[in-house]
Amino acid sequence: GENVEQHPSTLSVQEGDSAVIKCTYSDSASNYFPWYKQELGKRPQLIIDIRSNVGEKKDQRIAVTLNKTAKHFSLHITETQPEDSAVYFCAPVYNFNKFYFGSGTKLNVKP
Amino acid sequence: EAGVAQSPRYKIIEKRQSVAFWCNPISGHATLYWYQQILGQGPKLLIQFQNNGVVDDSQLPKDRFSAERLKGVDSTLKIQPAKLEDSAVYLCASSLDLDRVPDTQYFGPGTRLTVL
């Protein structure tokens, strides 16, 4: 199966700063790269995704970049706000929509 | 559009007892997933259905866990007998169609299981 690693495991930033979370994966056949946000006690929710034929995608303050050669993709959050505080999971997809979730990154945005 | 429904939301049982969880996916979604999320970890896929057929159950502990989706709509996940290490949130998710690769999956609220 897919080996997925996320770094860092925890990240603390000041409100207004940027945050970057990196996800590395092992299966070169992976073709879809989503990021999920999970607030405490809530369900995971998709916040942004990218497909293997695209290098970067942006949605307001959130962006995802993909490096297929190096087998990693990253989540970028700019102008962070306290409501961005949550656990973020990457879940690269391969082989018939198999989602393998990373171990998560806990982001804390300090006001 | 109604979301993925799960019940119960919380369950407390003693070890060696049995428990069942129910999931109703978004209407029209052919693919259904069951995940186990242990506190502090990412969701781990247990089983994946396409309509009423199993696509992947390689990570399902089959000696104690079972799941079915008989009519290709709602699904039940059962644990019998439960162990302490089964304490987790069980998440159900659905997506439109396995053939639409890749496809966004939508999660239900989860069932929090505590095994004493």
Side-chain angles (χ1 to χ4, degrees), chain A residues 31-33 36 38 40-46 49-51 89 91 93 95-104, chain B residues 4 33 35 37 40-43 45 48 55-56 58-59 91 95 97-98 100-105 107-109 112:
Chain A
N31 58 0
Y32 175 58
F33 307 91
Y36 289 83
Q38 188 174 32
L40 190 63
K42 301 280 183 69
R43 73 194 78 184
Q45 291 199 308
L46 178 71
D49 56 13
I50 195 168
R51 300 178 186 219
F89 294 99
V93 178
N95 194 22
F96 299 110
N97 271 358
K98 285 192 176 182
F99 291 76
Y100 279 83
F101 282 77
S103 53
Chain B
V4 177
Y33 311 78
Y35 290 90
Q37 187 174 24
Q41 298 182 18
L45 180 68
Q48 180 180 343
V55 174
D56 180 20
S58 58
Q59 298 191 94
L91 293 163
S95 62
D97 191 335
L98 191 63
R100 286 182 52 170
V101 177
D103 198 13
T104 302
Q105 58 179 340
F107 284 87
R112 182 176 298 276

Side-chain angles (χ1 to χ4, degrees), chain A residues 21-91:
Chain A
I21 303 169
K22 184 176 179 179
C23 180
T24 60
Y25 59 94
S26 59
D27 195 313
S28 57
S30 296
N31 58 0
Y32 175 58
F33 307 91
W35 283 97
Y36 289 83
K37 175 183 180 182
Q38 188 174 32
E39 296 176 63
L40 190 63
K42 301 280 183 69
R43 73 194 78 184
Q45 291 199 308
L46 178 71
I47 56 170
I48 196 166
D49 56 13
I50 195 168
R51 300 178 186 219
S52 59
N53 58 344
V54 177
E56 182 174 356
K57 182 178 176 181
K58 191 172 182 180
D59 182 4
Q60 299 183 341
R61 298 186 297 108
I62 296 172
V64 54
T65 57
L66 172 65
N67 185 329
K68 280 214 79 180
T69 303
K71 291 190 278 188
H72 66 73
F73 62 113
S74 297
L75 175 68
H76 305 256
I77 306 174
T78 58
E79 300 171 30
T80 53
Q81 300 168 3
E83 51 264 38
D84 294 330
S85 295
V87 179
Y88 292 82
F89 294 99
C90 63

Side-chain angles (χ1 to χ4, degrees), chain B residues 14-68:
Chain B
E14 305 224 333
K15 60 183 179 183
R16 291 188 289 273
Q17 286 187 322
S18 62
V19 65
F21 313 126
W22 175 82
C23 171
N24 188 261
I26 293 172
S27 178
H29 279 198
T31 311
L32 185 148
Y33 311 78
W34 282 103
Y35 290 90
Q36 179 193 58
Q37 187 174 24
I38 294 172
L39 189 64
Q41 298 182 18
K44 171 188 163 187
L45 180 68
L46 294 176
I47 189 167
Q48 180 180 343
F49 292 94
Q50 173 76 352
N51 297 310
N52 61 351
V54 175
V55 174
D56 180 20
D57 63 358
S58 58
Q59 298 191 94
L60 186 74
K62 298 180 185 64
D63 58 334
R64 298 184 300 106
F65 286 64
S66 64
E68 59 184 17

